[in-house]
Amino acid sequence: MKLNRRDLLKAAAAAGALNLAWPLSPGLSPAQAREAAEALGADYDPAPFTLGVASGDPQPSSVVLWTRLAPEPLAAEQQLPEIVEVGWVVAEDSELKRVVARGTAPASATLGHSVHVPVGGLRAGRHYWYAFTALGKRSRTGRTKTAPVGSVPRVRFASANCQAFHDGFYAAHRGIAREDLDFVIHLGDYIYEHGPVGGDAVRDHNGPEIFTLADYRVRHALYKGDASLREAHAAHPWFLTWDDHEVANDYSGTGGGAPFMQRRAAAYQAWYEHMPHRDSGASALPDPEIHRVRRWGDLLEVTVLDLRSYRSAQNLADGTILGAEQKSWLKQGIDRAPDAWHCWANSIMLSQLRGRPGGPYMFTDQWDGFLAERKEVLTHVHDSGLEDLVIITGDWHSAFVDDVRPDFDDASSPVVGTEFTAHSVTSGGYSADWNQTNGPVMGRANPHLQYFEGNRYGYDVYEVTPERWSTHMRVIADRRDPASPVTTLTTFHVDRGRAGSYEDPETKDSPAQYRRD
């Protein structure tokens, strides 16, 4: 019988014993919390590098290396000196014999004994291996890659999003770790601020929430207890953005009083402490800078967006999802864009989504809650002459393929790009019955919607050449199985210089709740 994290928690909730089964329940000691986590299938690397290693933000001559010392991963405070010196090494081989850089970095209690090492002087387009040492121990070895320069014949990368620990195992990350990739982009909802609930309702965000820096630290540590997540981090460099559950459901970064701003600061700090994030300033705190542009040679320009930190309230005539400064930055980037594929890493759906023909929008926490700004930005894309725009998105726990238009209610509005919304890693979607009923309804209500599939979990792999962009929807068989096999559900293509996508003939008969004929 398979160990079933999700059903174990549901059974514990039904029996009134969720406080014993959920590792982060109040009153548990770190040892008890770890025992409960291991009963749900968690495990950790040897101390003090229990949370693994990671790299991020690859550039032609530099990557950021990350680890955090956490001998007791689920303890609110680590029993360590105020500052621990951590050694690091980067080499051209997995045995770490051909060393190209080494050094030490201080891991301070102030930042949870995490380290972020920006390693420079590397060669472009190369794989490197790295490891850390501290307290007489050595970490696992990680692998990373620098961005290339000049002519690039192919780039291959993956995206992941929405990985509620209490909803299942990270078999999707196990698949990502084994893929031949240049990098990974995480599109948000890396953690969830709430715990498991007794029922099975979708988007029911009740449960024991977290508020303090200690709360968020142990939540991140619990999630990194899934071995597949640590494996995916160690296998590839990552780009990162966030959505709402890294802090609180549907939050606006500019709203709320002092208690919420304190909660947001705690969440942002814990996020930074657990991610291979490179900040542009001297310090990433209190507000890490997420948005950035990175290039993969002459083939691909990646624009990472932050759709939480600067947004206003929803449904305002002058509302903003980007904030004035980020919007100006994005439009300037559009004006200066090179002749390449352009990928926007976008945490929440940009395309319009009505629940029925002529009806209201389904969720205005998405770009649908910021209509004027969406139209302004997409009109700027059109007027600038930008071509070959692909937007990759998470959040919805289902897969969508959409044509992107400046005005989604005007059938004559030109197609300026394609949006691929990926399945979640584990986070629960709507029921199969809901998907079957509402897939065709959404298709009729949204003429730009090309495809919808909501019954599966997984990740997307993007294969990009100078001639074509291909999105392979990878799905797992069962999120209850940590070793669940991965298959390709379907593949969509976008041809260079031609707006709009089309499904691969070899996969167009795959199961879906809606596809446009």
Side-chain angles (χ1 to χ4, degrees):
M1 181 177 178
K2 295 175 182 176
L3 177 68
N4 187 331
R5 177 184 294 165
R6 188 164 175 264
D7 287 350
L8 282 172
L9 288 168
K10 287 172 63 179
L18 185 58
N19 63 318
L20 299 177
W22 178 236
L24 305 186
S25 295
L28 298 183
S29 70
Q32 290 170 325
R34 184 163 181 171
E35 183 180 1
E38 290 172 349
L40 296 176
D43 64 15
Y44 291 92
D45 283 8
F49 300 103
T50 53
L51 308 183
V53 301
S55 68
D57 198 24
Q59 297 187 40
S61 63
S62 177
V63 295
V64 172
L65 306 182
W66 169 90
T67 194
R68 178 183 169 223
L69 307 181
E72 290 289 347
L74 301 183
E77 299 290 338
Q78 299 298 317
Q79 299 302 307
L80 291 171
E82 180 70 20
I83 294 178
V84 179
E85 287 297 319
V86 178
W88 57 269
V89 62
V90 177
E92 294 180 326
D93 64 302
S94 60
E95 300 299 319
L96 304 180
K97 293 180 179 178
R98 298 196 301 275
V99 174
V100 297
R102 66 168 74 244
T104 61
S108 70
T110 302
L111 291 178
H113 293 98
S114 63
V115 293
H116 300 76
V117 180
V119 181
L122 303 178
R123 297 172 63 183
R126 294 288 300 272
H127 278 112
Y128 291 94
W129 286 259
Y130 63 94
F132 297 91
T133 55
L135 304 173
K137 304 292 184 180
R138 204 193 88 171
S139 72
R140 70 160 72 198
T141 300
R143 188 184 73 157
T144 190
K145 187 176 185 179
T146 52
V149 295
S151 179
V152 175
R154 187 190 79 155
V155 58
R156 203 165 186 272
F157 64 104
S159 73
N161 73 92
C162 300
Q163 52 193 48
F165 179 89
H166 47 271
D167 275 354
F169 289 99
Y170 296 161
H173 280 302
R174 184 173 182 266
I176 287 173
R178 288 159 170 72
E179 294 272 4
D180 175 19
L181 302 174
D182 293 295
F183 57 86
V184 175
I185 302 180
H186 200 284
L187 297 169
D189 292 344
Y190 189 100
I191 66 163
Y192 280 70
E193 83 287 7
H194 61 86
V197 295
D200 197 27
V202 174
R203 296 183 184 268
D204 178 1
H205 299 303
N206 297 318
E209 293 198 16
I210 55 178
F211 298 92
T212 68
L213 176 56
D215 290 340
Y216 283 100
R217 279 175 174 166
V218 296
R219 186 62 54 99
H220 276 278
L222 174 65
Y223 276 53
K224 280 195 163 65
D226 192 298
S228 295
L229 178 58
R230 298 196 308 281
E231 187 179 355
H233 272 298
H236 314 292
W238 287 35
F239 292 107
L240 300 154
T241 188
W242 51 27
D243 195 18
D244 52 342
H245 290 294
E246 283 86 353
V247 180
N249 183 45
D250 290 354
Y251 83 95
S252 167
T254 59
F260 175 76
M261 297 307 288
Q262 291 171 351
R263 182 185 187 184
R264 190 190 84 157
Y268 280 8
Q269 178 169 338
W271 182 91
Y272 175 69
E273 290 174 353
H274 290 85
M275 297 296 162
H277 176 71
R278 186 202 308 263
D279 207 75
S280 61
S283 173
L285 302 177
D287 297 308
E289 185 177 273
I290 301 297
H291 62 283
R292 61 201 57 205
V293 172
R294 298 291 185 257
R295 291 177 182 168
W296 208 259
D298 63 356
L299 181 58
L300 177 68
E301 180 183 65
V302 176
T303 300
V304 180
L305 298 176
D306 181 350
L307 303 181
R308 284 292 162 188
S309 298
Y310 316 114
R311 66 158 60 192
S312 68
Q314 308 165 22
N315 303 318
L316 302 177
D318 59 349
T320 178
I321 193 171
L322 293 165
E325 183 178 337
Q326 186 179 201
K327 181 171 68 175
S328 176
W329 166 85
L330 177 60
K331 292 170 75 173
Q332 289 173 11
I334 292 168
D335 292 337
R336 298 193 298 260
D339 181 15
W341 286 100
H342 306 284
C343 174
W344 291 2
N346 176 70
S347 57
I348 52 177
M349 187 177 286
L350 181 142
S351 299
Q352 181 170 288
L353 187 63
R354 294 191 185 275
R356 63 177 185 274
Y361 303 111
M362 292 193 70
F363 300 108
T364 57
D365 184 64
Q366 304 174 162
W367 284 77
D368 278 339
F370 305 89
L371 300 179
E373 185 162 274
R374 178 174 64 190
K375 188 171 184 178
E376 176 188 353
V377 169
L378 294 179
T379 298
H380 191 81
V381 168
H382 175 259
D383 292 347
S384 73
L386 183 75
E387 295 183 324
D388 307 315
L389 173 63
V390 177
I391 298 130
I392 62 172
T393 298
D395 180 60
W396 229 93
H397 307 177
S398 300
F400 294 77
V401 180
D402 286 282
D403 289 339
V404 175
R405 303 173 184 270
D407 186 346
F408 287 99
D409 287 322
D410 180 359
S412 66
S413 183
V415 176
V416 297
T418 295
E419 181 173 28
F420 293 108
T421 301
H423 291 96
S424 65
V425 171
T426 60
S427 300
Y430 287 102
S431 70
D433 288 344
W434 191 97
N435 293 332
Q436 191 65 39
T437 299
N438 287 281
V441 175
M442 290 190 293
R444 290 194 299 271
N446 301 279
H448 50 278
L449 174 61
Q450 303 300 312
Y451 173 93
F452 166 74
E453 202 292 317
N455 290 352
R456 290 164 175 81
Y457 301 88
Y459 59 97
D460 280 0
V461 169
Y462 314 99
E463 191 163 5
V464 185
T465 69
E467 295 79 28
R468 191 168 75 170
W469 175 297
S470 299
T471 294
H472 307 290
M473 296 183 191
R474 301 280 204 254
V475 293
I476 61 172
D478 191 344
R479 60 180 166 155
R480 299 171 299 179
D481 180 4
S484 182
V486 174
T487 58
T488 300
L489 177 63
T490 192
T491 295
F492 273 78
H493 304 293
V494 180
D495 290 332
R496 185 78 176 267
R498 180 179 179 182
S501 66
Y502 58 96
E503 195 166 8
D504 193 289
E506 295 296 320
T507 60
K508 67 179 181 178
D509 294 326
S510 61
Q513 288 77 60
Y514 178 78
R515 52 167 48 89
R516 193 167 297 280
D517 294 331

